[in-house]
């Protein structure tokens, strides 16, 4: 489902060069639930962003669902992100000016769905995360756990095959965190391929496979 | 899609009341001035009562006499004689009227002296112009030929001069400069800004003191030729020009030492422009100055809006990052910002429309211009809508372009 070959990422600023990822090779199968661990600054987020086509690698090849991503131009990548990928971020990244349901609808805005279909799909996704009763609320009126559930609803509303989560429980207490992992697990059981960055061993244990990074290099 | 964009646009507006106020203030003020100005220009130059046929009229208003060295010149209206010979005789127009430039007379109402605007015209005047007769009829060729003392007056003068309201005054006399004239028609007055039709009293040109028999080429009359159709205008102009060319030099020389005569039949706007800028050079200057002023006028608020937008867009980096992460192509984001801006400019446009109506209503009812009839017509409205869209577009494109170059990862971090 996700294939990385000899991927390298160098951050260049005017004074320094940081080798954030060094020769990464990765093959995530369809339906797998993979976690990524490693000390702070080792390149976990960088790796996830490259898998999610949010950033271009400095070197190497990326394949999503058998399609090689060669040119990182907007026209080619935007539809791929839209249809194949769903993101969950540590700090939720909900749009505060939009209601819960409008936030969840966002991925569908860039498809050919009409307003009615969008509403129906968004309601369905919110039901899956148990927030059907908060549709008209605004992000500021929700708890952290609820916000992350809205973010999950947004990630799954377009039924992408791959879900990418960067420390989805990092800002939550353990009870809330558990709830989130439960949801991710059930999504995985229903066929989603998931890659999750985490700091929590207990969370990592609940996934199929663990990838360890150290200083931009894969050590496991 | 659209509702999602509008919702967020609305929220952003509410979130920054001060910016919103400044922006809306700028837009609506500019548009209001623009609309009132266009309305005013339309009032001055458009075809309106009673010069409803201005679009197919040619004005022969100024005559210039000079010598080849241009050491001296004499500019002014032509004489009745000259115009009846070279304008009235034109074959191509549907009709030609000769009108005196404005002049004044006195009358007395209840022993109080009143200054009247007066005009001497031929009978064709009433065909070329679209005056509305509230009572009575215009004078005809019979009246002018026999030199009868008849007049047409405006409703305003009727109401001032004649005391008994609700009774017809047709057939009654009005005394002007010691002479009694019989009122044969009452017209709805012309706005003072239409120089060739504005008057309180209209006399047949054969009335006393019209000076229509004066000798010489220069005088106090102008002619208006009405084309059957706008497409006939060039033909009329060339017919008139060739008539002027055929004037023997001896006739021009008759007046002092001049040997060049310039007089043209022009459309209203050109004829107006020529009073300011006769040479092409001057016209170019005038046009570029006007363009510059308008550009600055529209450009400054647009630049302001761009600035506000650029600084505001940075705080929306996270939103942009999210939208992009979930598959928004740059084009969609570009449209989102353009639509947001068009939305805000349209709010400004609605405010401006209301404000313009109010101002125009005040101008019309203030009596500042007698019989003022300013309107926001369709053209004025369309221009304003066009300006609105341009505003929205201009102020949206630049910020959107900056934003589309933003990297998603950076946007999400911010
Ligand atoms: N935009 C950037 N410009 C320059 N260097 C960067 C940039 N983003 C990340 N880096 C560097 O790349 C390295 C990897 O960063 P990354 O964010 O992937 O770490 P991480 O493993 O996710 O850390 P954490 O657990 O703290 O989130 C770090 O050394 C970081 O300083
Ligand atoms: Mg990270």
């Amino acid at each position: 489902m996700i294939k990385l070959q000899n991927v390298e990422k160098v951050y260049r600023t005017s004074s320094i060069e940081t080798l954030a990822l060094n020769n990464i090779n990765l093959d995530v199968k369809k339906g797998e639930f993979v976690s990524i661990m490693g000390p702070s600054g080792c390149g976990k987020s960088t790796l996830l962003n490259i898998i999610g086509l949010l950033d271009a690698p400095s070197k190497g090849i990326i394949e999503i669902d058998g399609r090689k991503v060669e040119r990182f131009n907007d026209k080619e990548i935007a539809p791929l992100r839209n249809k194949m990928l769903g993101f969950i971020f540590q700090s939720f990244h909900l749009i505060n000016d939009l209601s819960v349901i409008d936030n969840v609808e966002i991925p569908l805005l860039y498809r050919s769905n009409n307003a009615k279909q969008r509403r129906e799909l968004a309601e369905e996704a919110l039901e899956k995360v148990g927030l059907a009763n908060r549709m008209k609320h605004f992000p500021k009126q929700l708890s952290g756990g609820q916000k992350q559930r809205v973010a999950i609803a947004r990630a799954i509303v377009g039924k992408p095959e791959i879900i990418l989560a960067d420390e989805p429980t990092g800002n939550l207490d353990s009870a809330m965190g558990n709830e989130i992992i439960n949801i991710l697990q059930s999504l995985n059981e229903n066929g989603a391929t998931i890659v999750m960055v985490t700091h929590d061993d207990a969370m990592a244990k609940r996934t199929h496979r663990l990838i360890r990074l150290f200083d931009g290099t894969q050590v496991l | 899609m659209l509702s999602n964009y509008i919702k967020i646009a609305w929220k952003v507006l509410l979130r920054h009341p001060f910016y919103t106020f400044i922006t809306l203030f700028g837009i609506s003020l500019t548009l209001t001035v623009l609309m009132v100005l266009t309305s005013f220009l339309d009032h001055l130059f458009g075809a309106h009562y009673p010069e409803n046929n201005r679009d197919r009229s040619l004005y022969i208003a100024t005559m210039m006499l000079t010598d080849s060295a241009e050491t001296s010149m004499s500019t002014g209206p032509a004489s009745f004689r000259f115009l009846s010979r070279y304008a009235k005789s034109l074959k191509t127009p549907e009709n030609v009227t000769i009108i005196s430039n404005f002049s004044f007379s006195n009358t007395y109402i209840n022993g109080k002296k009143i200054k009247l605007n007066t005009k001497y015209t031929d009978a064709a005047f009433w065909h070329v112009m679209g005056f509305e007769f509230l009572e009575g009829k215009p004078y005809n060729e019979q009246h002018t030929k026999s030199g009868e003392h008849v007049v047409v007056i405006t409703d305003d003068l009727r109401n001032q001069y004649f005391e008994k309201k609700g009774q017809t005054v047709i057939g009654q006399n009005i005394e002007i400069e010691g002479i009694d004239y019989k009122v044969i028609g009452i017209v709805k007055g012309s706005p003072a800004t239409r120089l060739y039709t504005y008057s309180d009293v209209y006399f047949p040109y054969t009335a006393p003191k019209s000076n229509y028999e004066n000798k010489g080429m220069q005088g106090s009359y102008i002619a208006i030729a009405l084309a059957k159709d706008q497409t006939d205008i060039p033909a009329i102009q060339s017919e008139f020009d060739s008539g002027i060319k055929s004037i023997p030099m001896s006739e021009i020389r008759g007046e002092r030492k001049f040997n060049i005569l310039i007089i043209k039949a022009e459309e209203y706007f050109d004829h107006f422009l020529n009073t300011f800028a006769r040479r092409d050079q001057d016209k170019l200057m005038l046009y570029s100055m006007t363009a510059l002023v308008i550009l600055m006028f529209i450009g400054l608020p647009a630049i302001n809006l761009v600035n506000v937008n650029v600084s505001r867009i940075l705080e929306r980096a996270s939103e942009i990052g999210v939208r992009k992460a979930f598959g928004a192509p740059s084009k969609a984001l570009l449209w989102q910002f353009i639509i947001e801006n068009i939305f805000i400019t349209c709010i400004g446009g609605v405010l401006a429309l209301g404000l313009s109506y109010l101002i125009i209503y005040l101008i019309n009812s203030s009596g500042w211009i007698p019989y003022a009839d300013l309107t926001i017509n369709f053209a004025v409205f369309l221009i304003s809508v066009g300006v609105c869209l341009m505003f929205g577009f201009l102020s949206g494109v630049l910020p959107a372009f900056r934003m589309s170059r933003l990297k998603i990862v950076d946007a999400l971090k911010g």
Side-chain angles (χ1 to χ4, degrees), chain B residues 81-257:
Chain B
R81 232 169 224 274
F82 180 90
L83 290 172
S84 44
R85 192 148 156 215
Y86 297 104
K88 194 80 186 168
S89 60
L90 292 173
K91 297 280 180 296
T92 336
E94 179 183 303
N95 216 331
V96 178
T97 176
I98 302 179
I99 314 160
S100 71
N101 246 347
F102 45 84
S103 45
F104 305 97
S105 290
N106 295 320
T107 189
Y108 292 87
I109 298 174
N110 300 327
K112 222 174 83 193
K113 194 161 125 182
I114 285 200
K115 201 173 179 192
L116 293 177
N117 281 288
T118 54
K119 211 170 249 314
Y120 301 91
T121 81
D122 56 7
F125 179 71
W126 304 108
H127 297 290
V128 172
M129 301 303 170
F131 274 100
E132 181 189 337
F133 275 80
L134 303 173
E135 286 179 66
K137 284 184 306 208
Y139 40 80
N140 54 32
E141 263 144 47
Q142 206 60 49
H143 291 110
T144 50
K145 211 172 271 168
S146 57
E148 272 183 71
H149 290 183
V150 293
V151 286
V152 170
I153 64 171
T154 63
D155 50 345
D156 263 5
L157 181 60
R158 171 194 63 188
N159 297 344
Q160 276 186 298
Y161 190 86
F162 295 98
E163 276 179 8
K164 285 181 214 136
K165 304 276 179 283
Q167 260 180 35
T168 180
V169 300
I170 301 298
Q172 298 200 38
N173 283 343
I174 180 168
E175 191 192 318
I176 298 167
E177 306 265 325
I179 300 171
D180 274 340
Y181 295 89
K182 192 168 85 178
V183 175
I184 61 165
I186 309 286
V187 290
K188 184 181 147 210
S190 158
T193 42
R194 289 169 202 142
L195 288 183
Y196 302 132
T197 46
Y198 174 63
S199 186
D200 298 310
V201 192
Y202 302 86
F203 300 93
Y205 66 89
T206 46
K209 294 183 183 165
S210 77
N211 298 330
Y212 81 103
E213 283 171 306
N214 277 14
K215 299 248 169 8
M217 294 202 291
Q218 292 186 297
S220 58
Y221 282 87
I222 69 125
I224 299 171
L226 181 67
K228 291 183 197 84
D229 190 282
Q230 256 186 323
T231 53
D232 285 346
I233 282 177
I236 297 172
Q237 286 173 321
S238 65
E239 189 193 353
F240 181 72
D241 287 344
S242 66
I244 296 298
K245 263 195 211 110
S246 70
I247 299 175
M249 189 56 78
S250 57
E251 215 168 299
I252 299 171
R253 279 252 167 75
E255 318 232 341
R256 292 179 269 175
K257 56 185 187 313

Side-chain angles (χ1 to χ4, degrees), chain A residues 49 74 82 97 102 118, chain B residues 1 7 15 326 330 409 412:
Chain A
N49 289 341
D74 187 68
N82 186 247
D97 286 323
D102 284 332
R118 287 204 300 264
Chain B
M1 187 93 112
K7 265 185 215 165
R15 193 141 43 88
F326 284 99
S330 293
V409 265
L412 286 174

Side-chain angles (χ1 to χ4, degrees), chain A:
Chain A
M1 199 70 194
I2 307 165
K3 218 171 179 175
L4 266 63
Q5 276 175 42
N6 308 322
V7 165
E8 196 178 300
K9 179 70 184 181
V10 183
Y11 287 112
R12 282 192 185 85
T13 55
S14 51
S15 52
I16 34 165
E17 269 189 18
T18 316
L19 183 62
L21 290 177
N22 183 14
N23 195 31
I24 302 286
N25 287 282
L26 199 66
D27 193 353
V28 179
K29 296 273 179 301
K30 193 174 164 71
E32 252 191 311
F33 191 171
V34 176
S35 51
I36 302 175
M37 287 188 86
S40 181
C42 70
K44 305 182 295 293
S45 296
T46 306
L47 178 59
L48 205 70
N49 289 341
I50 284 179
I51 294 173
L53 308 178
L54 298 183
D55 206 355
S58 310
K59 241 189 232 166
I61 297 168
I62 301 166
E63 239 177 71
I64 302 283
D65 198 24
R67 257 179 297 177
K68 256 190 206 149
V69 183
E70 284 174 81
R71 266 164 297 142
F72 275 78
N73 64 11
D74 187 68
K75 221 172 165 183
E76 201 170 306
I77 281 185
L80 207 56
R81 278 202 292 263
N82 186 247
K83 294 200 180 67
M84 294 294 298
L85 302 161
F87 295 91
I88 301 163
F89 306 98
Q90 178 175 356
S91 50
F92 324 127
H93 281 311
L94 297 178
I95 299 174
N96 286 330
D97 286 323
L98 292 178
S99 66
V100 163
I101 187 114
D102 284 332
N103 262 290
V104 174
E105 275 185 20
I106 283 180
L108 305 176
L109 291 177
Y110 309 107
R111 295 187 180 186
S112 52
N113 301 68
N114 64 32
K116 194 162 157 275
Q117 289 169 331
R118 287 204 300 264
R119 190 94 332 189
E120 280 167 9
L121 287 168
E123 282 172 11
E124 197 182 299
L126 280 167
E127 263 160 37
K128 273 191 196 151
V129 298
L131 278 180
N133 56 340
R134 293 280 193 280
M135 289 192 297
K136 295 276 183 286
H137 283 59
F138 283 84
K140 289 219 168 100
Q141 303 165 320
L142 301 177
S143 73
Q146 288 171 328
K147 281 185 196 169
Q148 197 58 302
R149 273 146 67 193
V150 174
I152 293 176
R154 178 178 63 185
I156 63 173
V157 71
K159 303 194 164 67
E161 299 206 34
I162 301 168
I163 294 170
L164 302 174
D166 193 348
E167 300 190 46
T169 60
N171 282 351
L172 306 175
D173 64 29
S174 60
M176 284 284 191
N178 249 321
E179 214 176 306
I180 299 300
I181 298 299
N182 288 342
I183 295 172
L184 289 179
Q185 214 162 26
S186 82
L187 288 171
N188 174 247
E189 276 153 20
N190 285 314
T193 308
I194 304 182
V195 180
M196 174 179 77
V197 172
T198 182
H199 275 298
D200 190 329
D201 281 317
M203 304 280 175
K205 281 208 183 84
R206 293 175 63 177
T207 65
H208 302 156
R209 179 149 69 98
L210 173 66
I211 294 167
R212 266 190 192 282
L213 285 184
F214 190 80
D215 249 357
T217 315
Q218 195 176 342
V219 291
L220 199 85

Side-chain angles (χ1 to χ4, degrees), chain B residues 330-346:
Chain B
S330 293
K331 214 166 73 184
L333 291 173
L334 197 81
W335 274 114
Q336 180 185 342
F337 282 90
I338 290 170
I339 287 168
E340 272 188 29
N341 279 290
I342 288 176
F343 175 69
I344 182 171
T345 37
C346 283

